[in-house]
Amino acid sequence: MKSRGLAVESATSPLKTFEFDRRPLGTHDVGLDVKYAGICHSDIHTARGEWGSVHYPLVPGHEIAGVVTAIGSAVTKFNIGDLIGVGVFVDSCRTCSNCLFGLEQYCLEGMTGTYNSVERDGLNQTRGGYSDTFVINEDYAVHIPSSLPLEGVAPLLCAGITLYSPIKHFNVGPSSKVAVMGLGGLGHMGVKFAIAMGAEVTVLSHSPAKEDDAKNMGAHHFVSTQDPKALSALKKSFDIILNTVSAEIDINEYLQCLKLDGTLVVIGLPGKPYSLNPAVMLDGRRSLSGSMIGGMSELQEMLNFCGEKNIVSDVEVISADYANTAYDRTVASDVKYRFVIDATTF
Ligand code: NAP
Ligand code: ZN
Ligand code: ZN
């Protein structure tokens, strides 16, 4: 299948128009017209080589919302015309204990990423969603509730599930005091989901100008971390801290804000190790955890939840020729709150 999109050719080159072939439709494959492709900070880390080895040219994009245009002969899950979503991975081994448990993101053989991976038959490089068409095995795609605006749904395929999964796993509910570190693409979804679960939510942000937005999203409290005393005033305050920050920070300052038995969940991945002070873990039996996206069944569950609760991402819809500027603005924490590319402009 012919595809036209955007690719980078090296860690230092900009996104440029790129034409390529996707694999022909297999019996269990679904072909789609991409309608909207979200820009995740992981796309930027990968494209710029911040996470290690990259197979260039790289077509990023793992927040894909589209419409089914073709189905393989054995497809049962989708019909032509259905709304369809594709997230961060396009395949996994399907047989390991984690895959069988619906935790394909933790596949013991490694999931097959939507981009910068090789398909499991070893033949093709995977190419992401910054493009006009896509081919996906039906088992690794989800249905999108038709009641939601599609541009606001695209970021749910990564940013949404990445916050929904730990919020569910750590049982965030009406009695939880939750802090969200960083009000970006992931963080703003964390606020929306934690609020939907009934929690008391505090945003910890280094951008004081985001306070009104945070409150409009439902956050109860907003704390500017630009104030050097801000975090020490919050010692022993939270049950759960969701760290979505994309840059290097002093994790110990945040860990001390956990209550007894509290957990700080690492979600942001700047690509550099933390320096951890063990003493801060001991005081209050604190835990440091991590979480990576979510499995296929949880991805569908999250989208259904969003359909019921009318939850979508706040987006700035852009055309493909704005993508390089969007990358720079994302790195500068200057996006409200996710850039989404209109796929008709590729
Ligand atoms: P984003 O939209 O750029 O948001 C990151 C936020 O971090 C910014 O909006 C900003 O929030 C805060 N921040 C940025 N630079 C900072 C600095 N120097 N000091 C303090 N705070 C800073 O990025 P995203 O798409 O949400 O992704 C966030 C991170 O999660 C990235 O590292 C990404 O790769 C990773 N990620 C992980 C998973 C997973 O499965 N675990 C999935 C997707 C993405 P404020 O302006 O409010 O301070
Ligand atoms: Zn992502
Ligand atoms: Zn597996």
Side-chain angles (χ1 to χ4, degrees):
M1 189 186 276
K2 294 267 175 233
S3 224
R4 184 184 160 90
L6 294 176
V8 289
E9 283 165 10
S10 75
T12 51
S13 59
L15 290 156
K16 288 185 195 148
T17 298
F18 181 64
E19 294 188 354
F20 57 102
D21 286 315
R22 295 205 182 267
R23 67 166 186 254
L25 205 68
T27 51
H28 286 282
D29 282 343
V30 176
L32 55 131
D33 273 352
V34 179
K35 295 295 180 193
Y36 294 99
I39 294 181
C40 176
H41 207 123
S42 302
D43 302 347
I44 305 172
H45 290 307
T46 308
R48 296 183 173 176
E50 293 166 4
W51 283 352
S53 78
V54 183
H55 300 278
Y56 296 106
L58 173 86
V59 179
H62 59 206
E63 295 183 336
I64 304 164
V67 177
V68 174
T69 53
I71 50 172
S73 56
V75 167
T76 56
K77 191 170 154 185
F78 291 95
N79 290 307
I80 288 172
D82 285 355
L83 298 175
I84 182 170
V86 179
V88 177
F89 55 94
V90 292
D91 210 345
S92 66
C93 85
R94 300 165 184 250
T95 56
C96 75
S97 52
N98 291 350
C99 281
L100 292 175
F101 209 67
L103 295 168
E104 299 90 346
Q105 75 274 35
Y106 304 122
C107 174
L108 296 175
E109 288 186 10
M111 63 182 183
T112 307
T114 304
Y115 56 79
N116 202 33
S117 278
V118 176
E119 287 180 358
R120 295 194 99 76
D121 58 11
L123 295 179
N124 296 304
Q125 195 67 38
T126 59
R127 301 207 190 276
Y130 296 3
S131 65
D132 53 1
T133 66
F134 204 85
V135 176
I136 182 76
N137 181 290
E138 61 175 331
D139 297 333
Y140 290 80
V142 284
H143 289 279
I144 292 174
S146 58
S147 57
L148 298 174
L150 204 52
E151 64 274 24
V153 168
L156 301 178
L157 277 306
C158 173
I161 185 62
T162 299
L163 273 294
Y164 181 86
S165 185
I167 282 171
K168 292 287 285 196
H169 181 75
F170 289 100
N171 298 313
V172 169
S175 62
S176 311
K177 289 198 171 186
V178 176
V180 176
M181 292 168 56
L183 194 69
L186 269 58
H188 91 293
M189 292 313 306
V191 171
K192 291 184 184 210
F193 286 132
I195 291 290
M197 304 304 173
E200 182 178 333
V201 177
T202 300
V203 171
L204 307 176
S205 168
H206 87 313
S207 307
K210 293 182 180 175
E211 177 161 4
D212 287 348
D213 291 342
K215 298 268 174 74
N216 288 335
M217 289 171 202
H220 300 91
H221 315 284
F222 181 94
V223 174
S224 165
T225 54
Q226 301 255 338
D227 172 358
K229 296 199 193 84
L231 292 174
S232 48
L234 291 171
K235 272 185 189 160
K236 306 189 180 179
S237 295
F238 304 110
D239 300 297
I240 295 279
I241 301 177
L242 300 162
N243 170 17
T244 75
V245 172
S246 53
E248 288 178 79
I249 41 147
D250 179 355
I251 198 73
N252 302 297
E253 288 186 8
Y254 293 89
L255 282 164
Q256 65 173 352
C257 299
L258 288 171
K259 292 204 289 199
L260 179 68
D261 287 330
T263 302
L264 187 150
V265 187
V266 177
I267 299 164
L269 198 59
K272 300 264 171 61
Y274 289 132
S275 171
L276 183 70
N277 175 4
V280 83
M281 306 296 292
L282 271 55
D283 179 15
R285 205 160 51 190
R286 296 175 169 122
S287 296
L288 180 62
S289 184
S291 188
M292 189 168 75
I293 43 176
M296 289 313 302
S297 58
E298 194 171 42
L299 187 59
Q300 186 64 64
E301 176 191 309
M302 182 270 312
L303 286 167
N304 296 347
F305 181 82
C306 289
E308 283 159 28
K309 304 276 182 185
N310 207 21
I311 292 174
V312 285
S313 169
D314 295 2
V315 296
E316 295 190 44
V317 178
I318 60 168
S319 55
D321 60 7
Y322 192 77
N324 288 302
T325 307
Y327 269 30
D328 292 339
R329 283 187 50 200
T330 300
V331 172
S333 306
D334 175 25
V335 49
K336 292 192 170 192
Y337 276 84
R338 195 58 136 189
F339 287 113
V340 171
I341 306 170
D342 174 349
T344 60
T345 63
F346 285 120

